[in-house]
Amino acid sequence: MAARAMANFALAELRLVNPRDGWPNPDAGPAAAGADAVLGGARVAQSANEALADCALTFATTVRHRDSSTPVVTPREAAARMREGAARGLRSGILFGPERAGLTADDLAGIQTIVTCPVDPGFGSLNLAQAVLLLAYEWFQAGPVEPPRHAVPAPPATHGEIAALIAHLDGELDAAGFFHVPDRAPATRRTLAALLARPGFTSEEVRTLRGVVRALADLRRRRAQPPSGAIV
Amino acid sequence: MAARAMANFALAELRLVNPRDGWPNPDAGPAAAGADAVLGGARVAQSANEALADCALTFATTVRHRDSSTPVVTPREAAARMREGAARGLRSGILFGPERAGLTADDLAGIQTIVTCPVDPGFGSLNLAQAVLLLAYEWFQAGPVEPPRHAVPAPPATHGEIAALIAHLDGELDAAGFFHVPDRAPATRRTLAALLARPGFTSEEVRTLRGVVRALADLRRRRAQPPSGAIV
């Protein structure tokens, strides 16, 4: 049903993160009613990070607003941002949650923008295919926008570059004993991921930040060893 | 699924026209996931005219544009018109077609406005629940509008008043031999229905038009009889 929703609105790139029943899944065919091209071209990824790696703009859908610093927009606003990105040659990815459980806080931590559809607060239970339909619909209705005429800022980093920065920092912080209270480590990791995903760093800025992490880690390692030639 | 789509967007009044499998239908429950109030309150009607009788604004959804004089709007435009109508105290009804067959030309003839969702022309196969979801979504996003401050025009006729005018005219024309070419009668009837549904007549105007039909029919009957007191 999600593939069918996509096909109605000219979206073809479906990526599946760890599909529960494996892939290809023969049960997916009949429900899609002609969306075979979308299903046939679906790619399987091992993680949300892998699925989003080449995207410069990342969105994730949640039904209810969660307590986080990640900005929240409506489907219509998300569609406008994706079209503006497309006019600058930037790829967008929308992460949808599994049917019942939804996305976890960890899934959402590295995402730039949350998309929440305004629904009747007394009901509010859009399923996966309905959420895909509404996002695809808004994307199609928004239509292509003109490329910007003024000077374009440097290209933003892709999700993969940001994810690699987060993993690099995480590894060095772990080695430095930063996560020494095990109970707090998951929340701290989410805070760091959200903090690095948000500002829309450029590729260049991400490279600079990775240099900063490397330099600090090297400094720590040098300090941990006795300086060569020192009198102990 | 249609009831669930409605419940997400605070729509509660479902009317079913001649449901194929009868009503209540135990199979309708599980798919609705909490939309029980919508299903429990659903009313069964014998015809589209009966279902729409109390509505002043009537819409019907079609996937492809048909060759007719009835105006066509997008779901977003339809939602804006429904909200403007609601601000004036007018009820709106949206007629959706059965799953595969869709609405017939006869179903559409008496409807004021056709709603067609822009979709990828290469695919374009929204199912019933998807069409309901998109209309309900747009209705909810449009939000209530302010009642007009300037003088409000006389209230438009309800669908029931227009349908009664059409039936009245149809009966008298039939008696007058207007439909004397049987092959052409269905198309002629549709043309008349569409012509009368379109202008947004007020209740007062519909009463006037029924008086016109009555007067012409009486004139025809009097001419068909010899005038009383005449010398034959």
Side-chain angles (χ1 to χ4, degrees):
Chain A
M1 288 305 297
R4 182 174 168 168
M6 291 172 63
N8 267 299
F9 297 113
L11 291 173
E13 267 189 75
L14 175 62
R15 296 172 184 183
L16 302 165
V17 179
N18 280 328
R20 186 192 60 194
D21 300 330
W23 193 260
N25 180 349
D27 290 343
D36 300 333
V38 175
L39 292 174
R43 272 175 38 198
V44 171
Q46 299 308 308
S47 67
N49 273 350
E50 183 191 327
L52 292 167
D54 60 347
C55 299
L57 303 179
T58 57
F59 299 85
T61 60
T62 65
V63 170
R64 279 172 199 82
H65 180 67
R66 282 153 204 262
D67 193 27
S68 101
S69 59
T70 308
V72 179
V73 300
T74 63
R76 198 162 298 172
E77 290 163 339
R81 291 183 189 204
M82 288 188 275
R83 289 292 192 172
E84 283 158 21
R88 294 170 53 204
L90 305 178
R91 295 177 67 84
S92 291
I94 312 171
L95 183 63
F96 293 89
E99 193 64 81
R100 262 161 252 280
L103 293 169
T104 65
D106 282 337
D107 291 329
L108 297 175
I111 296 294
Q112 290 163 353
T113 309
I114 301 292
V115 187
T116 296
C117 181
V119 293
D120 181 2
F123 189 74
S125 75
L126 290 172
N127 69 16
L128 172 59
Q130 289 174 322
V132 172
L133 183 73
L134 293 179
L135 266 292
Y137 165 79
E138 285 289 6
W139 181 83
F140 193 77
Q141 307 311 308
V145 300
E146 288 287 311
R149 291 197 189 156
H150 47 276
V152 179
T158 63
H159 184 84
E161 289 170 322
I162 298 283
L165 167 65
I166 292 168
H168 182 187
L169 178 63
D170 189 271
E172 293 294 359
L173 288 175
D174 202 17
F178 186 78
F179 302 115
H180 62 278
V181 183
D183 286 358
R184 287 214 197 136
T188 306
R189 288 194 149 102
R190 281 197 294 274
T191 301
L192 284 172
L195 175 158
L196 291 167
R198 195 174 346 128
F201 291 131
T202 64
S203 291
E204 182 59 37
E205 287 168 338
V206 169
R207 279 195 292 278
T208 303
L209 285 168
R210 294 198 59 175
V212 168
V213 174
R214 208 173 296 119
L216 292 175
D218 288 351
L219 176 66
R220 182 179 53 75
R221 286 199 192 92
R222 274 205 304 281
R223 282 191 179 150
Q225 295 169 353
S228 60
I231 300 160
V232 184
Chain B
M1 289 306 295
R4 181 173 171 171
M6 291 173 64
N8 267 297
F9 298 113
L11 290 173
E13 267 189 75
L14 175 61
R15 297 172 183 183
L16 303 165
V17 178
N18 280 329
R20 185 192 58 192
D21 300 331
W23 193 260
N25 179 349
D27 290 341
D36 299 333
V38 175
L39 292 174
R43 271 176 39 200
V44 171
Q46 299 309 309
S47 66
N49 272 350
E50 183 190 327
L52 292 167
D54 60 347
C55 298
L57 303 179
T58 57
F59 299 86
T61 60
T62 65
V63 172
R64 279 173 198 81
H65 179 66
R66 283 154 204 261
D67 192 27
S68 99
S69 59
T70 308
V72 179
V73 301
T74 63
R76 197 161 298 171
E77 290 163 340
R81 291 183 188 203
M82 287 188 277
R83 289 292 193 173
E84 284 158 20
R88 293 170 55 203
L90 305 178
R91 295 176 68 85
S92 291
I94 312 171
L95 183 63
F96 293 90
E99 191 65 80
R100 261 163 252 282
L103 293 169
T104 64
D106 282 336
D107 291 329
L108 298 174
I111 297 293
Q112 290 162 354
T113 309
I114 301 292
V115 188
T116 297
C117 182
V119 293
D120 181 2
F123 189 72
S125 75
L126 290 172
N127 69 16
L128 172 59
Q130 288 173 322
V132 172
L133 183 73
L134 293 179
L135 266 293
Y137 165 79
E138 285 289 5
W139 180 83
F140 193 78
Q141 307 311 309
V145 300
E146 289 287 311
R149 290 195 189 156
H150 48 273
V152 180
T158 63
H159 184 84
E161 288 169 323
I162 299 283
L165 167 64
I166 292 168
H168 182 186
L169 178 63
D170 188 270
E172 294 294 359
L173 288 176
D174 203 17
F178 186 77
F179 303 115
H180 63 278
V181 182
D183 285 358
R184 287 214 196 137
T188 306
R189 288 193 149 102
R190 282 198 294 274
T191 301
L192 284 172
L195 173 160
L196 292 167
R198 194 173 350 126
F201 290 132
T202 64
S203 291
E204 182 59 36
E205 287 168 337
V206 169
R207 278 196 293 280
T208 303
L209 285 169
R210 294 199 58 176
V212 168
V213 174
R214 206 173 298 116
L216 292 175
D218 288 350
L219 175 66
R220 183 177 54 71
R221 285 200 194 91
R222 274 208 303 281
R223 281 194 180 147
Q225 296 169 352
S228 59
I231 298 161
V232 182

